[in-house]
Amino acid sequence: MSELLFNELPRPTFRWLRVNHTVSSLAGEDTAVQSIAVEANKDILSPLPVGTALLDGNYEGANKEAVHVLVEKAEGYAINVPPKAKEVVGIRIDANARVANRFQFIVGEGAELEVQFYVTGSGDALTNVNYLNEYDVKEAGRVVVKKVNLLPEHVQHIEHRYTKLEEKADVEYINIEIGGSENILNYYHDLVGQESRMVHDIAYLGNKEQKFDISMVMSHGGKKSFSDIHTLGALSGNSKKSFSDIHTLGALSGNSKKSFRGTLDFLHGATASEGAEEDTCLLLDPTVKSVSLPLLLCKEDNVVGNHAASAGQIDHNKLFYIMSRGFSEVEAKHIIVESMIRPIIDRIGDETIEEAALAAVRNKI
């Protein structure tokens, strides 16, 4: 299968650094697409026909060609939440074959929506899970999306996510990324409304040959808009992780590699807006490699933009303190890594899914 360029940096840097994009191809040769389970109030759920236009025709996702295929060939679901309503939508992807799907969420003025994504799988077929989520959040709308990825280690996982926030819209994303062989995640948050607010927390954990390639763009267009992104995680074995945007915290071990691509973009009209991007990586082995690329673009004055990156080994004083309480060095490292990820897992709000996520974390570390 032909190679594609994923998660291209909006403003490329020196080519010899090899961080401007990720080269990969879609895994598996199967053409059949399996269905997924969606639980929602039938009054807000309807089919999304093949060829339905994107909410933003300029959004290219992780790869323009991959998004085009989803639009032209993949069926999906439209979720329309009426103004002032309060709804919960559950989406379960159980990948034992190829998955290609779309979701369009239209959240009315003053409405509240919680979306629960649970991505898992069975079987041993080499395949890919490829889906597109779009959120159009109207004035004063409130959205919380909780996603847990526990895919088998042989399944490629590609997620494209676009969010448009109108005036005083408030969106919170929680990502638990543990499974999958290669995770290519692309998030574009378009804060067009005045006083719109975005918070995005990501926890990841990788090992063996696992890869994480995460790209995020925070586009501030409205006055007094606010963005705050946090990621926490760990990588082990030969895993790789690349992340774009705004506050990342992770760990690497074995021969794993992490590349951070983050874009915080203040457009004309974003007066008095605030955003921050930070990448913090924990290096568990001397053989790992961590690359960070926090990017800050600004076309407006009177804004606050912060970006930072750091990488280092486990604090030896912290490690010694835990070991002095009777734990081995391996056990102490496990405690430190789990303590980084656990606070985000605890916010999922579903005890069964939380326990499954914690079990996966403990098995990997």
Side-chain angles (χ1 to χ4, degrees):
M1 186 170 292
S2 61
E3 291 186 333
L4 303 173
L5 301 185
F6 289 96
N7 286 341
E8 295 185 68
L9 197 66
R11 299 291 187 274
T13 184
F14 300 108
R15 285 178 294 175
W16 58 270
L17 291 174
R18 299 181 181 178
V19 295
N20 289 326
H21 55 255
T22 295
V23 179
S24 188
S25 58
L26 298 179
E29 300 294 335
D30 51 340
T31 57
V33 178
Q34 71 173 72
S35 60
I36 64 176
V38 179
E39 296 181 3
N41 178 354
K42 65 179 182 179
D43 295 330
I44 67 170
L45 184 67
S46 61
L48 185 67
V50 170
T52 303
L54 292 166
L55 294 178
D56 183 339
N58 296 319
Y59 179 59
E60 297 183 354
N63 173 270
K64 184 176 181 179
E65 181 180 336
V67 168
H68 178 75
V69 170
L70 286 174
V71 172
E72 296 301 322
K73 296 184 178 181
E75 295 182 350
Y77 298 88
I79 297 92
N80 287 274
V81 182
K84 310 297 183 182
K86 182 184 249 184
E87 299 288 348
V88 177
V89 175
I91 299 172
R92 184 184 178 98
I93 299 176
D94 190 357
N96 49 42
R98 187 168 73 92
V99 173
N101 220 298
R102 293 183 62 192
F103 305 91
Q104 276 191 359
F105 297 88
I106 311 296
V107 182
E109 182 177 338
E112 296 183 24
L113 172 67
E114 179 175 323
V115 184
Q116 302 168 350
F117 269 94
Y118 185 39
V119 188
T120 184
S122 56
D124 55 5
L126 177 65
T127 189
N128 69 80
V129 172
N130 187 12
Y131 55 102
L132 167 64
N133 305 305
E134 300 173 276
Y135 298 84
D136 186 354
V137 187
K138 305 299 184 182
E139 181 178 346
R142 164 72 175 162
V143 175
V144 179
V145 179
K146 303 175 181 179
K147 175 196 166 190
V148 177
N149 161 23
L150 299 180
L151 285 165
E153 61 183 17
H154 55 271
V155 176
Q156 184 186 48
H157 172 222
I158 304 174
E159 180 186 13
H160 320 266
R161 186 187 296 179
Y162 169 81
T163 311
K164 178 182 177 183
L165 294 84
E166 297 191 5
E167 184 174 348
K168 294 184 179 180
D170 189 337
V171 177
E172 178 182 3
Y173 288 130
I174 302 171
N175 283 56
I176 311 295
E177 305 290 346
I178 298 173
S181 60
E182 180 180 37
N183 295 277
I184 301 174
L185 312 176
N186 183 279
Y187 304 124
Y188 191 105
H189 302 317
D190 198 0
L191 291 85
V192 300
Q194 181 172 323
E195 296 184 49
S196 54
R197 178 179 179 272
M198 161 67 67
V199 175
H200 197 155
D201 292 342
I202 301 178
Y204 67 88
L205 177 63
N207 65 357
K208 299 179 181 178
E209 301 295 331
Q210 195 173 17
K211 300 177 183 179
F212 290 86
D213 194 278
I214 311 170
S215 173
M216 191 180 299
V217 176
M218 303 295 293
S219 177
H220 287 259
K223 294 180 179 180
K224 299 182 180 180
S225 54
F226 172 83
S227 67
D228 190 14
I229 308 301
H230 307 263
T231 74
L232 304 94
L235 302 179
S236 61
N238 295 309
S239 58
K240 299 181 180 180
K241 178 262 184 184
S242 62
F243 173 74
S244 104
D245 207 47
I246 295 183
H247 167 196
T248 76
L249 176 58
L252 305 170
S253 66
N255 295 311
S256 57
K257 174 184 176 182
K258 184 272 300 181
S259 299
F260 168 89
R261 303 185 195 103
T263 304
L264 180 61
D265 193 2
F266 292 100
L267 305 176
H268 287 299
T271 304
S273 294
E274 183 177 349
E277 56 183 335
E278 181 180 354
D279 175 34
T280 304
C281 185
L282 187 60
L283 310 177
L284 300 177
D285 288 311
T287 52
V288 303
K289 182 178 181 181
S290 175
V291 177
S292 295
L293 228 84
L295 179 63
L296 197 156
L297 306 174
C298 188
K299 298 178 181 178
E300 184 61 85
D301 55 11
N302 190 25
V303 297
V304 178
N306 300 294
H307 64 142
S310 63
Q313 298 178 350
I314 287 178
D315 187 309
H316 290 291
N317 291 329
K318 184 184 294 184
L319 191 64
F320 175 78
Y321 177 84
I322 297 175
M323 292 175 64
S324 69
R325 267 54 186 173
F327 296 97
S328 67
E329 182 177 354
V330 172
E331 291 171 334
K333 289 181 177 180
H334 285 191
I335 291 172
I336 292 171
V337 173
E338 183 176 334
S339 69
M340 294 168 55
I341 299 176
R342 181 75 183 255
I344 294 183
I345 293 178
D346 287 344
R347 291 166 56 195
I348 296 299
D350 185 299
E351 185 175 347
T352 301
I353 295 178
E354 287 179 2
E355 286 301 321
L358 284 172
V361 168
R362 290 163 183 163
N363 288 335
K364 294 183 77 169
I365 63 176

